[in-house]
């Protein structure tokens, strides 16, 4: 059995692992939707390319700076949720913008539910896993 606390946490909480996987898939889908919208928006080929590449790229930069698990700048929860709303909600809005309102609604519901569950589960670490992390990080007395 693995001694990695992160792996043990997933083994103890399979719903947490499943929701984290869903969160990753939702993030990738949102980026793809932003690109899809960008490549279909505007009247010139240059604008298609600029929006199709630039919109997801901007979303990636925002996400990596503020919302990723190892973000460079880890602000408080309200700012993280705003960034997630902009990126993931932007993906749903992009699907609406390309003419698929039902799919956009479904995506928005999945985004809200997944984000709510993910943020709740991330803040409720099992007692055994918390003790293991405290033990691993405690300095040895000699």
């Amino acid at each position: 059995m693995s001694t990695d606390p992160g792996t043990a946490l997933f083994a103890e909480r399979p719903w947490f692992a499943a929701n984290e996987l869903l969160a990753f898939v939702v993030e990738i889908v949102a980026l793809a939707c932003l690109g899809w919208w960008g490549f279909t928006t505007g009247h010139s080929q240059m604008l298609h390319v600029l929006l199709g590449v630039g919109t997801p790229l901007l979303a990636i930069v925002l996400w990596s700076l503020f919302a990723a698990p190892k973000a460079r700048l880890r602000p408080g929860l309200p700012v993280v949720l705003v960034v997630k709303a902009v990126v993931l909600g932007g993906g749903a809005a992009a699907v609406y913008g390309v003419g698929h309102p039902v799919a956009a609604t479904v995506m928005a519901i999945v985004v809200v539910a997944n984000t709510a569950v993910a943020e709740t589960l991330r803040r409720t670490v099992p007692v055994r896993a918390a003790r293991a992390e405290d033990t691993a990080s405690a300095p040895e007395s000699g």
Side-chain angles (χ1 to χ4, degrees), residues 44-69:
S44 72
Q45 191 67 20
M46 182 61 109
L47 190 57
H48 288 288
V49 172
L50 184 63
L51 290 174
V53 174
T55 306
L57 190 59
L58 179 61
I60 289 169
V61 169
L62 277 173
W63 195 270
S64 66
L65 286 175
F66 302 108

Side-chain angles (χ1 to χ4, degrees), residues 20 27 63-64 66-72 74 84 122:
E20 289 296 305
E27 293 159 17
W63 195 270
S64 66
F66 302 108
K70 294 182 181 179
R72 287 184 179 236
R74 192 63 181 174
K84 288 184 176 192
R122 287 178 189 146

Side-chain angles (χ1 to χ4, degrees), residues 19 22 26 81 84-85 88-89 92 104-120:
N19 197 63
L22 178 61
V26 166
L81 291 177
K84 288 184 176 192
L88 302 177
T105 302
V106 170
M107 185 173 174
I109 291 168
V110 170
V111 163
V112 169
N114 175 258
T115 302
V117 170
E119 292 302 328
T120 300

